[in-house]
Amino acid sequence: MARLICIILIFFIFVFGNLYPQATRKNQSKDAAVLISVKTFKTPPMISLKWEKHPLAYRYEVRRKNFGDLVFPATPLANLDSSLTSYDDTRVEVGKEYEYEIRAYYRAFIDVQYQKPDGTIGDTTIDAFMQGFGYVHTGINVPPRHSQGKVLLLIDQTLQASLQLEIEQLIDDLIGEGWSVAVKYVPRVEGFDGAKVKQVKELILEEYGKDPLNFNTVFIIGRVPVPYSGNIVPDGHPDHQGAWPCDMYYGSIYEDYWTDVSINRTTANDTRNHNVPGDGKFDQSTPGNEISIAVGRVDFYNMPKFSESEVELIRAYLNKNHKFRTGELNLRWRGLVDDNFGASRLINAFASSGYRNFASLLGPNNVRDLDWFTTLKTDDYLWAYGCGGGTYTSAGGIGSTDDFVANRVNSVFTMLFGSYFGDWDSRNNFMRAALASKPSILTCSWAGFPHWYFHNMAANLPIGYSTRLTQSNATNYLGALFSQNGQQYYVIGQGLFQIHVALMGDPTLTMFSSAVPPPKNLNVYQPAGGFVQINWEAPNQENEGYFVYRSYSKFGDYVLLNKDPIKTTSFVDSSLYEGIVYYMVRAVRTIENNSGSFSILSRGTTQYARITSVEANTNDIVVHISPNPTNRQANLRIELPFPDFINAELFSLVGARSKAILSEFLAPGTHSLSFELTDSFGNPLPSGVYILKITTSRKVYSYKIVKIEQ
């Protein structure tokens, strides 16, 4: 069969090759990208796709899928010859979201690596049939996303006291953008510790189990344990083949898939990459299943090139994060590409990740080929891509970690690619250095092995969605099949569907957090015996109305109260509730970008009030704890005279949270549960006095629990 495939392909190239344009130059990275722009029309509904003419294409294919479908259909929506560079789709509906893929088919001379019969790697140049790709996420007046889901902040516990204000500011920003938020502080682990990795994963799965439909994101801040997995070398350098850092593990809900019994590799120069059975590093080189939870990390451990401490670097990151979200950091919507490779191999074309994403998000005319540091020192670009031959701390033609220390770099969303620094848990790592720079970089990804897919961010989806999409992409490219000295070879492709794909930075970030100004001066009050009155002031910029939300917890979920936007600046909530109620108001406006037309919400303006129902009930709850003192386990009974949200947590006497015990909305009546006096990782607490803190909608209750030795 393999010989038959080879014969068919060679016959196709040499017999039918004259039907297609001959390659006139070597392949470039830009050739592997189709640069798309979109125009939408409401009456009658139509989505018009246009793209830049490919210099070598002999035909194009257009595919479409509904947003949420896993794959594009095998059968194209349209086949077009090379003279056509547009397609109008009239079989669309207003308000519905679509994704389009456009493929350009062309021929070019490419440099390839291939495996010889003796196992060695060879290099050659072939005249090959190629494909270029472009993607857009589009729609006509797509409705707003009222909720982004639930995010868990996993924070190095040594940062809790020093960064309290910045963390609270981040939480407020997230809530205002439609996230519900959970926070867990975990032990700091500087070296690899497989047991601590497992304990962190247990916390994530516990949170996932509470709300599997909405929990979709983990934001790691500080030196939280780093998982390692696999026997990989996606950059082709065997001196660090083995286990690579694998935050993807935290995003996988299929815990039984991850094993530690088979890989035995200790040839890497750095023991970080060694992987032997039973060491806590996993065997898997691929995720095996679709990744369910987006993970992003801000971790400045082992970055001595920067004079600031880890705490100060994280503080600076969180502050610039807030400035971007609120519009104080407002960079121009354009993309920079600094390509120091070209298209060196068939499926690589590293910089095509920059070209095709920037074209969709920013418009083809807003993509520039420029030098990275020279340009970004003085000019601002919302997105920037750079690639070149790499070390752990540099990329050829781009610069080094020292450049991030010394220079201002005016971009927000970045991609950097080159050998070694994709192994990101390394000293003075180049990608993590980007996040530590001033004044604005907030994300960085190793885009090239494999390519990343950011086009969905045009629809106001967070960058974490793009991370999951890229990590879960298992599409296998055939590559090029060609003949050399009577033998057949396949081109080697690297990085696709492997465990190293990771986002450095905040996974909750979107491109439109400050696109719509928020309402001002929100007031919430209840006249005696009446309904809750909510009013606010309009922002300076015009909008299409407002949405009002209610929650019984500061951290969400916020429930939408009006289906359609209201034009006035007041609202009456007739659903009375006894206790503290939180309200949020967000403005809405439809924007048109290069990918379509989308309704975008402002950041929420929030306020709370203590509300009294018509039949007010002021009875306190009754709490029983037994035994007390106790040596191991305590029994908790809560007598509740009214329905309420109950949050129970265990703290030390100095205020450090030991564990969460209960976080549920309970009906009236008696509720009982038992809990162990352990920390969040299941470790027994030392003997001493602890505080059980119970928070309801009305007040906070505190009870002492004494633990004694057995």
Side-chain angles (χ1 to χ4, degrees):
M1 174 62 72
R3 180 179 296 274
L4 176 61
I5 294 174
C6 181
I7 292 172
I8 291 173
L9 181 61
I10 294 172
F11 180 79
F12 180 80
I13 292 175
F14 289 101
V15 175
F16 294 100
N18 291 332
L19 298 178
Y20 305 101
Q22 292 290 331
T24 58
R25 56 178 170 79
K26 276 203 171 185
N27 187 37
Q28 304 295 317
S29 280
K30 196 172 183 179
D31 293 341
V34 179
L35 310 185
I36 309 173
S37 57
V38 177
K39 187 73 174 176
T40 61
F41 302 89
K42 189 173 181 179
T43 307
M46 184 174 72
I47 295 174
S48 180
L49 307 170
K50 294 185 178 181
W51 54 92
E52 290 191 359
K53 183 174 176 60
H54 195 287
L56 299 175
Y58 55 84
R59 70 180 176 95
Y60 301 100
E61 288 181 352
V62 180
R63 286 175 170 81
R64 188 190 79 186
K65 70 181 183 70
N66 295 326
F67 175 58
D69 291 349
L70 294 179
V71 296
F72 285 94
T75 303
L77 194 66
N79 279 289
L80 308 172
D81 66 38
S82 60
S83 65
L84 299 176
T85 57
S86 66
Y87 179 78
D88 294 336
D89 190 356
T90 57
R91 292 174 292 176
V92 295
E93 301 175 26
V94 173
K96 193 170 181 179
E97 297 175 81
Y98 305 93
E99 290 182 76
Y100 290 86
E101 176 193 73
I102 299 177
R103 298 187 189 182
Y105 289 82
Y106 64 102
R107 288 179 65 185
F109 292 107
I110 59 169
D111 299 324
V112 298
Q113 287 185 334
Y114 62 96
Q115 189 169 356
K116 298 178 181 179
D118 62 3
T120 61
I121 303 299
D123 293 277
T124 189
T125 299
I126 63 171
D127 179 7
F129 284 84
M130 306 280 291
Q131 296 181 49
F133 297 86
Y135 299 91
V136 288
H137 181 144
T138 185
I140 307 167
N141 289 8
V142 173
R145 303 183 192 282
H146 294 286
S147 172
Q148 295 285 19
K150 185 173 185 179
V151 57
L152 171 63
L153 304 183
L154 275 180
I155 305 174
D156 175 347
Q157 65 184 16
T158 65
L159 304 174
Q160 183 171 4
S162 55
L163 294 179
Q164 179 181 354
L165 293 178
E166 289 78 10
I167 291 169
E168 289 178 356
Q169 178 178 262
L170 173 63
I171 293 171
D172 288 343
D173 287 341
L174 291 168
I175 293 170
E177 292 178 14
W179 294 90
S180 58
V181 182
V183 182
K184 293 184 184 293
Y185 291 92
V186 298
R188 176 183 178 86
V189 177
E190 296 187 351
F192 176 76
D193 188 325
K196 288 292 189 284
V197 166
K198 282 279 195 179
Q199 289 171 355
V200 169
K201 181 63 173 291
E202 289 173 5
L203 293 179
I204 295 172
L205 292 178
E206 175 188 355
E207 204 65 39
Y208 175 81
K210 294 177 184 177
D211 192 4
L213 293 178
N214 292 308
F215 179 56
N216 57 19
T217 303
V218 171
F219 182 10
I220 294 172
I221 302 174
R223 192 58 182 176
V224 172
V226 178
Y228 275 74
S229 189
N231 182 22
I232 64 171
V233 56
D235 60 3
H237 296 277
D239 57 346
H240 66 148
Q241 180 169 352
W244 276 36
C246 179
D247 273 350
M248 187 187 292
Y249 165 69
Y250 288 146
S252 169
I253 63 171
Y254 303 98
E255 186 65 11
D256 292 342
Y257 172 75
W258 302 88
T259 61
D260 179 21
V261 295
S262 61
I263 299 300
N264 191 348
R265 180 122 191 161
T266 59
T267 58
N269 293 340
D270 192 330
T271 56
R272 286 186 309 107
N273 304 117
H274 292 182
N275 193 355
V276 299
D279 63 353
K281 298 174 182 177
F282 301 110
D283 301 315
Q284 282 63 39
S285 294
T286 71
N289 297 278
E290 183 179 356
I291 296 301
S292 302
I293 302 166
V295 181
R297 175 184 290 262
V298 175
D299 179 355
F300 298 127
Y301 168 69
N302 202 16
M303 301 289 286
K305 288 279 189 181
F306 290 87
S307 59
E308 299 93 334
S309 67
E310 280 185 63
V311 171
E312 291 309 312
L313 288 173
I314 293 176
R315 189 191 312 278
Y317 179 91
L318 293 176
N319 283 332
K320 66 183 179 181
N321 186 312
H322 175 70
K323 289 179 179 179
F324 174 73
R325 301 183 105 116
T326 56
E328 188 175 341
L329 277 177
N330 188 15
L331 282 69
R332 278 174 283 189
W333 282 55
R334 54 186 184 177
L336 177 150
V337 178
D338 187 359
D339 181 9
N340 294 280
F341 275 120
S344 58
R345 301 186 182 98
L346 174 64
I347 65 169
N348 296 347
F350 307 119
S352 63
S353 277
Y355 288 115
R356 70 184 181 203
N357 282 298
F358 298 171
S360 295
L361 297 172
L362 309 169
N365 294 331
N366 292 319
V367 185
R368 304 282 188 272
D369 295 293
L370 295 165
D371 183 73
W372 177 281
F373 280 107
T374 301
T375 304
L376 296 177
K377 283 180 186 178
T378 55
D379 294 338
D380 56 293
Y381 285 75
L382 185 65
W383 286 83
Y385 181 97
C387 64
T391 70
Y392 287 109
T393 60
S394 68
I398 306 295
S400 69
T401 293
D402 290 323
D403 290 297
F404 282 120
V405 174
N407 301 309
R408 292 175 63 84
V409 190
N410 294 285
S411 187
V412 173
F413 303 104
T414 67
M415 293 177 266
L416 290 168
F417 181 78
S419 294
Y420 293 98
F421 52 80
D423 183 5
W424 52 261
D425 191 28
S426 55
R427 184 178 178 87
N428 290 317
N429 179 265
F430 192 49
M431 293 202 307
R432 292 192 292 130
L435 269 58
S437 68
K438 298 179 179 66
S440 55
I441 292 181
L442 295 175
T443 71
C444 190
S445 57
W446 198 57
F449 280 160
H451 293 297
W452 278 62
Y453 299 86
F454 293 109
H455 60 281
N456 303 97
M457 292 182 69
N460 204 34
L461 284 163
I463 196 168
Y465 179 88
S466 297
T467 304
R468 286 196 297 121
L469 180 67
T470 302
Q471 291 171 334
S472 301
N473 177 32
T475 303
N476 291 311
Y477 294 93
L478 174 63
L481 179 64
F482 66 98
S483 179
Q484 185 85 356
N485 298 325
Q487 297 289 332
Q488 64 175 22
Y489 304 105
Y490 283 96
V491 173
I492 296 174
Q494 294 168 286
L496 188 70
F497 203 48
Q498 291 188 346
I499 52 82
H500 65 285
V501 181
L503 177 71
M504 300 294 102
D506 180 350
T508 68
L509 287 167
T510 69
M511 292 174 58
F512 299 98
S513 55
S514 63
V516 182
K520 300 182 293 185
N521 300 325
L522 176 64
N523 293 302
V524 178
Y525 63 95
Q526 182 186 26
F531 297 133
V532 179
Q533 309 291 312
I534 307 159
N535 56 60
W536 58 92
E537 293 180 17
N540 296 330
Q541 186 174 319
E542 289 188 8
N543 56 64
E544 296 161 13
Y546 306 91
F547 289 101
V548 182
Y549 311 80
R550 180 183 62 218
S551 175
Y552 301 126
S553 167
K554 173 184 176 181
F555 299 101
D557 296 330
Y558 279 82
V559 177
L560 179 65
L561 299 183
N562 55 305
K563 179 181 178 181
D564 299 312
I566 56 177
K567 305 296 184 180
T568 62
T569 57
S570 63
F571 183 83
V572 176
D573 182 11
S574 59
S575 301
L576 292 177
Y577 173 83
E578 183 72 26
I580 295 177
V581 182
Y582 297 83
Y583 290 93
M584 177 188 297
V585 180
R586 305 175 76 180
V588 64
R589 180 163 58 90
T590 299
I591 67 168
E592 187 166 351
N593 59 34
N594 184 67
S595 293
S597 55
F598 305 91
S599 291
I600 303 296
L601 293 167
S602 73
R603 291 160 45 83
T605 301
T606 59
Q607 189 58 271
Y608 69 92
R610 184 177 293 278
I611 306 303
T612 303
S613 67
V614 175
E615 298 178 358
N617 187 337
T618 59
N619 294 336
D620 283 344
I621 67 172
V622 178
V623 175
H624 300 274
I625 303 169
S626 64
N628 191 13
T630 180
N631 59 15
R632 182 176 63 88
Q633 179 178 291
N635 301 308
L636 173 64
R637 187 173 79 250
I638 301 174
E639 297 177 10
L640 196 61
F642 44 80
D644 206 349
F645 189 89
I646 304 297
N647 190 65
E649 300 172 288
L650 191 65
F651 290 83
S652 69
L653 276 179
V654 297
R657 192 177 81 157
S658 299
K659 68 183 299 182
I661 296 172
L662 176 68
S663 183
E664 297 287 346
F665 190 86
L666 301 179
T670 300
H671 307 269
S672 301
L673 71 154
S674 299
F675 62 94
E676 303 281 340
L677 269 71
T678 61
D679 62 20
S680 297
F681 292 90
N683 302 312
L685 294 173
S687 59
V689 179
Y690 295 87
I691 303 297
L692 177 65
K693 179 181 175 182
I694 297 180
T695 304
T696 73
S697 63
R698 301 178 177 194
K699 63 187 296 185
V700 177
Y701 303 82
S702 297
Y703 305 90
K704 288 184 180 179
I705 299 179
V706 179
K707 184 183 181 189
I708 57 176
E709 295 292 344
Q710 292 185 350

